[in-house]
């Protein structure tokens, strides 16, 4: 009896000694971290993230060793050791996961996204965000598998399951087809750079920024403070617009349908004055052109540039408002009109109602409403988008450099030969 009591007292002393030793190691590690934290920031981050799993792991491992060394042989010793094995696997996985996440946080802190040129930083942060989730998922799976395999019964079942692994994998793949598709689509988005966190995109007719990319879905923060959640497979199977993949600068259009009496050159002068008075324009391009003249109206298109999408939206609205005010005050005759022709009363039937028909556009119309002549001098930079300046020529080359050059002499010879054959026939 005395021997048994001595054995149990030895177990208690061993457990207490293990706990004290664990706290001593924790205190030493804390002092080392504080000393290192005076010169650098990362030791403090490591302590905050891995403090609790490190302490629990030391206590559990120390108590487990004390039990193995001092506990007398009893029927429940095996069960107790199994419990400590499970706890060690779980806490060790937690500690390892925190260490990996700390390393990723340290890498992320080097790439800031609150600066002007942050394309590389956004790409790195997106990839690290996906890797963080993968690390957590893989760690949980490995820890769960290790805990299950610690049971002898599960190992026996596992051997029989491995024998039919082919059938099980096919069934599991069919059952989780959409889930696996989203998983691989999320990984593809992270490393293909199709989208990144903080990218400006247009999806489903909505404009917003990429707020979060996970392994299964993408969160888009829309301009009106709504949130659009889409599966990752959407961005790998459907077209969408990414306005910031290569840069944030954009070009936008303002279109207006006006009367034929509008003076484009005066509009260009006013446009230059409007852009000179605003800090929204980035001074890359400003073009005013008449792009259409059908249906009784002329269509004037104004192209302006800005550093990013929100600035461009505000700039387009300002240009549109300024032009509307200028047309109404300076050239009211250019406001769109609907002209009609009133036909006379039929002398044979004075009671017949007067007919009102749309007036056809003809020379007489312009004789009735004379147009004020404007100077014909137009500068190339102001008037043309694809010619007249080095920037416009370079812009045009993007669309024409791959087009074949036609030999005009050969073209005229072929047309003459075709006309001769037609005449002979």
């Amino acid at each position: 009896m005395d021997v048994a009591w001595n054995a149990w007292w030895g177990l208690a002393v061993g457990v207490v000694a293990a706990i004290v030793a664990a706290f001593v190691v924790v205190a030493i590690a804390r002092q080392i971290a504080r000393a290192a934290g005076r010169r650098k920031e990362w030791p403090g981050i490591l302590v905050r993230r891995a403090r609790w799993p490190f302490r629990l792991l030391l206590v559990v491992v120390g108590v487990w060793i004390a039990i193995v060394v001092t506990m007398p042989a009893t029927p429940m010793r095996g069960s107790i050791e199994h419990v400590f094995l499970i706890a060690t696997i779980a806490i060790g996985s937690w500690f390892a996961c925190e260490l990996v996440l700390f390393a990723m946080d340290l890498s992320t802190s080097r790439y800031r996204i609150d600066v002007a040129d942050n394309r590389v930083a956004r790409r790195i942060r997106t990839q690290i965000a996906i890797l963080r989730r993968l690390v957590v998922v893989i760690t949980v799976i490995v820890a769960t598998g290790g805990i299950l395999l610690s049971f002898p019964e599960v190992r026996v079942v596992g051997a029989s399951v491995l024998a039919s692994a082919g059938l099980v994998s096919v069934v599991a793949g069919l059952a989780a087809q959409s889930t696996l598709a989203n998983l691989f689509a999320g990984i593809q988005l992270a490393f293909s750079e199709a989208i990144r966190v903080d990218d400006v995109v247009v999806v489903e007719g909505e404009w917003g920024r990429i707020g979060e990319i996970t392994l299964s879905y993408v969160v888009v923060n829309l301009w009106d403070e709504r949130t659009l959640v889409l599966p990752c497979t959407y961005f790998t199977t459907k077209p969408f617009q990414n306005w910031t993949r290569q840069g944030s600068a954009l070009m936008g259009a303002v279109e207006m349908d006006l009367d034929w009496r509008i003076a484009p050159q005066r509009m260009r002068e006013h446009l230059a004055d409007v852009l000179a008075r605003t800090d929204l324009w980035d001074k890359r391009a400003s073009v005013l052109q008449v792009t259409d003249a059908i249906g009784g109206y002329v269509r004037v298109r104004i192209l302006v540039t800005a550093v990013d999408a929100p600035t461009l939206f505000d700039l387009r609205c300002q240009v549109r408002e300024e032009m509307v005010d200028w047309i109404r005050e300076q050239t009211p005759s250019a406001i769109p009109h609907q002209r009609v022709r009133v036909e006379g009363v039929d002398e044979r039937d004075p009671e017949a109602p007067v007919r009102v028909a749309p007036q056809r556009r003809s020379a007489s119309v312009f004789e009735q409403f004379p147009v004020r002549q404007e100077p014909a001098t137009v500068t190339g930079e102001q008037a043309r988008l694809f010619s007249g300046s080095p920037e416009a020529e370079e812009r045009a080359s993007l669309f024409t450099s791959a087009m074949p050059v036609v030999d005009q002499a050969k073209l005229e010879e072929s047309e003459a030969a075709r006309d001769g054959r037609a005449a002979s026939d």
Side-chain angles (χ1 to χ4, degrees):
M1 187 69 177
D2 293 338
V3 176
W5 277 109
N6 290 335
W8 286 108
W9 275 110
L11 173 62
V13 172
V15 170
V16 172
I19 295 175
V20 172
F23 277 101
V24 170
V25 173
V26 168
I28 295 174
R30 183 170 61 247
Q31 294 300 325
I32 295 174
R34 286 181 178 177
R38 294 191 182 97
R39 295 184 297 272
K40 296 183 179 180
E41 185 180 358
W42 65 265
I45 301 175
L46 177 61
V47 169
R48 287 193 298 270
R49 180 171 284 279
R51 175 175 53 192
W52 285 109
F54 177 67
R55 292 176 178 178
L56 290 176
L57 184 62
L58 285 178
V59 171
V60 170
V61 172
V63 173
W64 188 14
I65 294 174
I67 289 175
V68 171
V69 174
T70 62
M71 186 175 183
T74 59
M76 64 178 181
R77 176 173 175 172
S79 300
I80 295 176
E81 292 183 1
H82 190 204
V83 170
F84 276 92
L85 174 62
I86 294 174
T88 302
I89 294 175
I91 299 174
S93 301
W94 180 18
F95 180 61
C97 186
E98 292 293 347
L99 290 179
V100 175
L101 295 181
F102 160 74
M104 290 185 177
D105 290 342
L106 201 61
S107 302
T108 303
S109 62
R110 299 178 181 177
Y111 298 93
R112 299 174 54 189
I113 60 175
D114 57 346
V115 295
D117 188 9
N118 60 359
R119 185 168 62 89
V120 176
R122 289 188 287 113
R123 172 173 60 84
I124 298 297
R125 282 178 173 264
T126 301
Q127 294 175 353
I128 291 178
I130 296 298
L131 288 176
R132 286 170 61 92
R133 292 176 173 85
L134 282 176
V135 167
V136 173
V137 171
I138 293 174
T139 303
V140 171
I141 292 176
V142 171
T144 304
I147 292 173
L148 292 177
L149 290 177
S150 66
F151 293 90
E153 296 82 1
V154 175
R155 289 198 293 267
V156 174
V157 173
S160 62
V161 170
L162 289 176
S164 57
L167 179 61
V168 172
S169 62
V170 172
V171 174
L174 292 176
Q177 183 176 3
S178 60
T179 303
L180 293 176
N182 276 320
L183 174 64
F184 289 111
I187 299 174
Q188 180 181 349
L189 290 177
F191 293 95
S192 65
E193 298 186 43
I195 56 174
R196 298 176 295 263
V197 174
D198 208 37
D199 268 347
V200 178
V201 297
V202 178
V203 290
E204 296 292 319
E206 302 283 357
W207 173 73
R209 288 183 179 272
I210 301 295
E212 184 180 2
I213 302 176
T214 70
L215 292 176
S216 57
Y217 60 87
V218 176
V219 178
V220 183
N221 299 321
L222 301 182
W223 66 275
D224 54 359
E225 299 185 356
R226 291 180 296 150
T227 300
L228 182 64
V229 181
L230 297 169
C232 290
T233 52
Y234 179 92
F235 293 91
T236 58
T237 58
K238 294 184 179 181
F240 62 93
Q241 299 181 36
N242 188 340
W243 290 3
T244 55
R245 191 173 188 273
Q246 300 296 335
S248 61
L250 293 172
M251 176 182 293
V254 176
E255 293 189 334
M256 310 177 74
D257 287 335
L258 303 173
D259 193 85
W260 281 69
R261 289 176 290 185
I262 189 62
Q265 178 58 24
R266 294 185 61 191
M267 288 190 69
R268 291 189 185 97
E269 295 173 357
H270 182 66
L271 174 63
D273 181 62
V274 171
L275 296 178
R277 290 186 283 104
T278 180
D279 57 353
L280 301 177
W281 182 47
D282 64 358
K283 299 178 176 58
R284 287 191 300 119
S286 65
V287 178
L288 188 149
Q289 292 176 307
V290 178
T291 59
D292 212 343
I294 59 175
Y297 303 101
V298 293
R299 176 161 295 177
V300 176
R301 184 176 68 179
I302 301 171
L303 296 179
V304 290
T305 56
V307 294
D308 53 31
T311 306
L312 179 63
F313 179 82
D314 291 339
L315 177 61
R316 291 169 61 194
C317 292
Q318 179 176 344
V319 170
R320 189 181 294 110
E321 292 173 4
E322 297 267 3
M323 284 297 175
V324 168
D325 289 341
W326 181 81
I327 292 172
R328 188 180 67 252
E329 296 173 0
Q330 301 297 326
T331 58
S333 61
I335 298 175
H337 293 82
Q338 180 68 39
R339 296 184 176 87
V340 297
R341 182 179 64 218
V342 180
E343 297 184 354
V345 179
D346 191 350
E347 297 179 355
R348 295 171 297 178
D349 187 7
E351 301 296 330
V354 177
R355 294 183 298 165
V356 179
Q359 184 179 9
R360 295 183 180 179
R361 291 279 178 176
S362 61
S364 60
V365 174
F366 300 100
E367 292 172 0
Q368 296 173 10
F369 304 97
V371 180
R372 181 168 50 187
Q373 297 296 327
E374 299 294 337
T377 304
V378 177
T379 60
E381 271 189 2
Q382 293 176 333
R384 290 174 286 183
L385 177 62
F386 297 110
S387 61
S389 66
E391 293 80 5
E393 297 289 347
E394 182 179 359
R395 193 178 298 119
S397 66
L398 299 176
F399 300 94
T400 59
S401 58
M403 297 176 62
V405 179
V406 179
D407 191 337
Q408 188 64 26
K410 292 184 179 179
L411 181 62
E412 292 177 355
E413 291 178 1
S414 61
E415 290 180 351
R418 184 171 62 253
D419 294 341
R421 289 194 300 270
S424 62
D425 293 341

